[in-house]
Amino acid sequence: MSVVTAQTGDDGLAVSARRFDALRNWLPLALIVAAAIAVRHFVGANTDVSWEITLAEKVLDGQRLYTDLIELNPPASTLLYLPAVALARALGLAPEIMVDALVLIGALVSLAIAGDIVRRYRFLDGRQNAMAAALTLAALTILPAQTFGEREHVALIAVLPALALLAARANGSRPLPWHCLVAGVGAGVTVCIKPHFALAIGCAAAFSALHRRSWRLLLVPENWIAAAIAVAYGICVVVFYPAFLTDVMPLVADVYLPVRLSLVQSLLDTPVMLWTGAVLMILALRRGAGFHPVFAVLLTASAGFAAAYVIQGKGWPYQSYPMLALALIALGLAIVCRRSAAERSGEGYDFKDIGAAVAFCFIAIKSFAWLDLAVQDRAATAMVGRIAPPHPSITLISDDVALGHPLVRAVQGRWISRVGSLWIMEDAAIQRFGGGVDAAKDRRLAAYMEAGRRQLIGEIRDSKPDIVLIDDRAGRIVVDNHGASWSEWVNADRDLSALLAANYREVGNADGLAIFKRDGR
């Protein structure tokens, strides 16, 4: 009887130990998800996501990209949000809620697949694997802050299994076919979202091939799958969206691409400094310990994303998210690996451990703050909500897309313009009056500006929006060879000022926006 009792007690202790281990592994992940959901209630809606949701709604209503709607990005940028918008309509929910929900679910699924790859091929031990999962989940759900749901955010979620598989291959593992399929699809989607993200995948793949001293690793199934998806997408763009190639790409080349930060400005920008600090700290922590394939894959992919950020040259926070996220995951994992080695050898905490922890916290907090930068238009939103009729039609006279979005969605309004803002006119003006363009390009830029002006006048005259928002901040547009506000630009335009004077009256000014309401006469 005593033997049976002892065995039963041992079984109970084993069950309790397993439950404790499960709780220890899953509780941090549950808390991170809860924190991420809470952050979504305090962080403002993303400007670009709001604009892409609006475009997706218009596409579902029958309008055509690059014909009825002017968008500088390839079609994947809008198509990415179509499922969420369509599902939100079917369920009677706000599209923003559905986008957040699907992105969060996607992050959890991606992490689960990447985690399965790590566990199956055993290139991290149990503690390292648990910490890597927690770090990655926080990087995918909390760190994005105001960039949550952006294309860069979705791209990193999609490519995560491919990076895990590259680390497994660099470690000498032979992956399962379904892992290759999922990784290939994710990598292909990432390249479709932004073609220059191929830099990140290419850098990590090149490391794996060099590490194993086999160029055959460049020809593995997941790479062929990714390439096939990217080629198929390119063919679809040519066939179904020819106007993107014939109309938008010349516009982007003439107007959008030349307005950028210099190389020095990009390299000295906040995210590059944070990224450099994280990489240097990782190198210091791993000195003398060898370079595990996990760190190499994370850092080479992060370097590829960093190169993409510098190449774009815009300096916008959301474009730096993937490079910062991967660097922070690698830094946190490097700290854990160092502590594991120190504990095995009986060493206590030293100055390097404390310094690494402080550096990680500093870089993480600064990265979150950087990614949370956004134009706050809460006062303007509140004012428009008070004075406008229900579901007002709205347009914006400004180059700053953040002034109209998400404002129009916050007041449940309807966007009447083909464009999200007058960025074409502003970028063209910067080049024309900045000098250095030849006569032929000057004529093209002048034509873009005049086309934008006529389109704006036609939309206000024909669509009769309830609310017209005019950017009243100084130095946003060039008038008579000097920086001026868009309000001054409107006053200097006889046709536009007469149209507004005859039909609209200014009812307020908030967040640098002059708010005009239709008279109803």
Side-chain angles (χ1 to χ4, degrees):
M1 184 69 177
S2 60
V3 173
V4 174
T5 303
Q7 289 176 342
T8 303
D10 291 341
D11 291 342
L13 290 174
V15 170
S16 297
R18 286 195 297 270
R19 286 176 178 174
F20 176 76
D21 287 340
L23 181 64
R24 184 178 61 184
N25 290 333
W26 288 102
L27 182 59
L29 302 182
L31 293 175
I32 290 170
V33 172
I37 294 172
V39 167
R40 299 310 309 143
H41 287 282
F42 294 101
V43 173
N46 179 272
T47 292
D48 290 334
V49 173
S50 294
W51 170 236
E52 293 296 344
I53 288 174
T54 298
L55 285 176
E57 288 178 333
K58 291 180 179 291
V59 169
L60 289 176
D61 290 336
Q63 297 188 48
R64 296 167 296 172
L65 277 175
Y66 316 118
T67 302
D68 304 313
L69 306 166
I70 299 176
E71 166 67 352
L72 67 90
N73 293 297
S77 296
T78 300
L79 300 179
L80 199 63
Y81 300 92
L82 276 180
V85 175
L87 190 57
R89 285 188 174 186
L91 298 177
L93 297 174
E96 288 81 0
I97 294 176
M98 190 55 62
V99 168
D100 282 356
L102 291 183
V103 170
L104 182 57
I105 292 170
L108 294 173
V109 171
S110 176
L111 180 60
I113 296 171
D116 182 68
I117 292 172
V118 172
R119 286 190 300 272
R120 185 175 296 273
Y121 307 121
R122 299 177 181 176
F123 49 86
L124 291 176
D125 64 28
R127 179 181 178 184
Q128 293 167 354
N129 184 32
M131 184 55 67
L135 287 167
T136 305
L137 183 59
L140 293 180
T141 59
I142 297 176
L143 179 66
Q146 214 267 339
T147 66
F148 193 94
E150 269 278 12
R151 291 160 292 164
E152 280 75 4
H153 185 202
V154 176
L156 184 58
I157 290 171
V159 82
L160 190 63
L163 298 182
L165 198 63
L166 283 170
R169 286 195 180 277
N171 206 45
S173 302
R174 295 177 63 87
L176 298 175
W178 81 269
H179 283 155
C180 296
L181 176 62
V182 173
V185 171
V189 169
T190 299
V191 174
C192 292
I193 290 174
K194 281 196 171 182
H196 44 270
F197 286 167
L199 283 170
I201 302 169
C203 288
F207 160 77
S208 295
L210 290 172
H211 185 71
R212 301 302 303 176
R213 294 183 174 85
S214 174
W215 60 268
R216 295 179 184 277
L217 285 182
L218 299 177
L219 303 176
V220 291
E222 57 267 29
N223 290 350
W224 287 107
I225 294 170
I229 290 174
V231 170
Y233 169 69
I235 293 172
C236 290
V237 172
V238 173
V239 173
F240 297 109
Y241 300 98
F244 176 74
L245 302 175
T246 59
D247 299 338
V248 175
M249 288 189 68
L251 167 66
V252 169
D254 271 341
V255 179
Y256 177 76
L257 294 180
V259 180
R260 52 178 293 120
L261 300 176
S262 69
L263 179 60
V264 173
Q265 288 174 317
S266 293
L267 293 177
L268 296 178
D269 206 4
T270 297
V272 177
M273 292 293 99
L274 293 173
W275 179 81
T276 303
V279 172
L280 292 176
M281 182 58 66
I282 293 168
L283 295 176
L285 291 171
R286 298 300 298 173
R287 185 179 180 182
F291 224 62
H292 195 286
V294 170
F295 295 102
V297 167
L298 287 172
L299 289 181
T300 51
S302 181
F305 281 120
Y309 173 79
V310 173
I311 288 170
Q312 290 174 96
K314 296 298 183 179
W316 294 328
Y318 69 88
Q319 294 178 345
S320 65
Y321 164 72
M323 63 186 252
L324 291 174
L326 291 178
L328 278 168
I329 294 170
L331 177 55
L333 190 56
I335 294 172
V336 172
C337 289
R338 173 179 165 77
R339 284 308 311 153
S340 296
E343 289 171 3
R344 285 194 297 269
S345 60
E347 298 177 11
Y349 287 90
D350 59 15
F351 178 76
K352 184 178 285 189
D353 293 319
I354 298 172
V358 171
F360 176 84
C361 293
F362 175 80
I363 295 172
I365 292 170
K366 289 291 290 184
S367 296
F368 181 89
W370 166 252
L371 294 169
D372 196 37
L373 287 177
V375 175
Q376 298 296 318
D377 57 0
R378 295 191 179 107
T381 300
M383 183 174 291
V384 171
R386 287 196 306 270
I387 61 95
H391 307 293
S393 53
I394 298 175
T395 195
L396 170 71
I397 302 178
S398 173
D399 62 289
D400 191 349
V401 66
L403 297 181
H405 309 274
L407 182 149
V408 66
R409 305 195 61 78
V411 299
Q412 299 182 339
R414 178 172 58 87
W415 192 255
I416 62 101
S417 180
R418 298 174 64 203
V419 294
S421 70
L422 302 180
W423 66 268
I424 298 174
M425 298 180 65
E426 191 261 353
D427 281 11
I430 288 175
Q431 295 183 71
R432 288 192 69 202
F433 298 103
V437 298
D438 57 36
K441 184 169 185 180
D442 185 74
R443 286 193 296 271
R444 293 198 303 274
L445 294 174
Y448 287 132
M449 294 181 69
E450 179 60 18
R453 171 185 169 276
R454 290 184 178 277
Q455 177 182 296
L456 174 65
I457 292 173
E459 288 172 345
I460 294 176
R461 182 187 62 239
D462 300 334
S463 298
K464 301 177 176 58
D466 299 310
I467 298 293
V468 176
L469 305 172
I470 304 179
D471 192 343
D472 209 20
R473 297 172 297 172
R476 302 298 302 186
I477 188 65
V478 177
V479 177
D480 296 331
N481 292 321
H482 72 276
S485 69
W486 282 94
S487 292
E488 292 174 294
W489 177 81
V490 169
N491 293 332
D493 188 292
R494 184 173 58 185
D495 297 332
L496 187 54
S497 59
L499 177 62
L500 290 175
N503 299 282
Y504 293 85
R505 58 187 174 86
E506 185 173 355
V507 295
N509 192 302
D511 293 325
L513 274 177
I515 302 170
F516 285 74
K517 182 179 180 182
R518 186 170 178 81
D519 271 343
R521 290 179 295 183

